[in-house]
Amino acid sequence: MKKTGNDLLPFIAMVIVQLGYAGSNVVTKLVMDTGMDPFVQTAYRPIFATISIAPFAYFLERKTRPRLTLSVIFQIFLCSLVGITATQYTFCIGLKNTTPTIVGAIDNLIPAFTFLLAVPFGLEKLGLRSIAGQAKLIGTIVCVGGAMLLSLYRGPVVIGQLGFHWKYAESSDKDINSGHTNFLLGPFILIISSVTYALWLIIQARVNEKYAAPYSSIFLVFFLASFQCMIISYCVVPKASEWALTPIRAISVVYNGTVCSSLALYLSSWCIEKKGPLYVSMFNPFLLIIAAFLSWILLREKLYVGIVVGSILTIVGLYGFLWGQKKEMEQSKNDVEEENKEANKEENPLCKGDLELQLVPNNSDLDGFSPNM
């Protein structure tokens, strides 16, 4: 019974995380289609994220927080510039020009892009001679191929619009299904967003090695990104009227900053501690399913053949990649155990087998001995 509870709680936590992300995609898409500039949306998000994560950083790490060095500060600055500022701008602009369903599909590219970027940094090896390495490479290719398909091909409609409409969606000045040019532009920009996010994961991993205070480092990342985004967004959108927060806009920016930053980060970190990073990655396709369902119900989105087939290929490629990664981790663990056994054998040459041999009587005592006796 205890084991069931240990398995159930991480599952529920990760479903909540994916629900939070899907809801964010839908609400963000809605407020931008009703007139909110993506640069303004991006500027508000790190501010509320900084405010919401500050208590975690202060209370949980105030006694264990290490000293900041110039090297760590520079790496945190890079994290804020790449992981928040660049990623969020490309994400919001890409989402404005496409649909939450496509966002959910392209989100599955992040593990593959992380792998491709980690290879030149020496953090990953291709390992093409092993089945696991081949699975990771093939999974990456299938992932990227699926993303290209849903970006470049629409095809006929598979599921049409639902009769039910959300009242806020009815006030939108843009049809979510229209615009062939945007249909190509949006996924392309979202792919760039996935690349910058994958690059952030690699830099953040370096930061975690030198600055063992994850909440504090994330707080600093959002804090610096708040200034970066405010300066850039104000230069692009200087009109004060564009920055006004209507009720639905306020809900969007607060929701994005709290639920999709603090809550999602906490739950994901907890699940990584309990079940490992591979377990957390396996829930990425849930975002696609939930986002597609919410977009169909609330935003009148249609599903096309290209989106469906491309999404399926992306998910298949993701799970192929994760399978290869799991096998590599198991093989690496086995190799370490074998090395430890060999090391222990060298340190303690008098092992159990040697002791048994010493207890065997002399050859003269073995005369007439039969192993069947």
Side-chain angles (χ1 to χ4, degrees), residues 67-78 210-211:
R67 186 175 62 88
L68 279 170
T69 63
L70 287 176
S71 173
V72 171
I73 292 173
F74 177 70
Q75 290 182 357
I76 289 176
F77 173 78
L78 287 180
K210 297 182 178 180
Y211 191 71

Side-chain angles (χ1 to χ4, degrees), residues 109-251:
L109 290 173
I110 292 174
F113 284 144
T114 304
F115 168 68
L116 291 176
L117 290 173
V119 171
F121 281 95
L123 300 175
E124 289 278 356
K125 294 182 179 179
L126 286 176
L128 296 180
R129 294 182 180 180
S130 66
I131 296 177
Q134 294 170 7
K136 289 174 70 175
L137 181 61
I138 294 172
T140 300
I141 295 172
V142 173
C143 262
V144 176
M148 292 296 101
L149 179 63
L150 64 88
S151 302
L152 301 174
Y153 175 70
R154 261 187 162 179
V157 175
V158 177
I159 301 177
Q161 290 181 340
L162 187 66
F164 169 79
H165 300 319
W166 192 16
K167 68 173 184 177
Y168 286 109
E170 291 175 354
S171 62
S172 172
D173 58 359
K174 180 181 177 182
D175 184 1
I176 193 173
N177 302 287
S178 65
H180 237 7
T181 303
N182 290 346
F183 187 79
L184 297 176
L185 177 64
F188 176 75
I189 297 178
L190 287 171
I191 289 173
I192 296 175
S193 180
S194 295
V195 172
T196 58
Y197 186 84
L199 184 59
W200 168 72
L201 290 176
I202 295 173
I203 302 174
Q204 186 65 43
R206 298 288 191 184
V207 172
N208 291 342
E209 292 176 1
K210 297 182 178 180
Y211 191 71
Y215 291 107
S216 298
S217 66
I218 294 297
F219 165 78
L220 292 172
V221 166
F222 279 121
F223 180 75
L224 293 175
S226 299
F227 289 98
Q228 296 167 8
C229 292
M230 284 296 294
I231 293 171
I232 294 172
S233 296
Y234 183 76
C235 292
V236 177
V237 187
K239 291 185 180 179
S241 59
E242 295 287 336
W243 291 77
L245 292 178
T246 61
I248 189 65
R249 291 185 180 186
I251 290 173

Side-chain angles (χ1 to χ4, degrees), residues 350-357:
L350 204 61
C351 60
K352 182 179 178 183
D354 298 327
L355 288 171
E356 288 177 349
L357 286 174

Side-chain angles (χ1 to χ4, degrees), residues 56-69:
F56 294 97
Y58 179 75
F59 288 108
L60 296 180
E61 297 175 341
R62 59 180 175 175
K63 295 182 179 180
T64 60
R65 191 181 301 117
R67 186 175 62 88
L68 279 170
T69 63

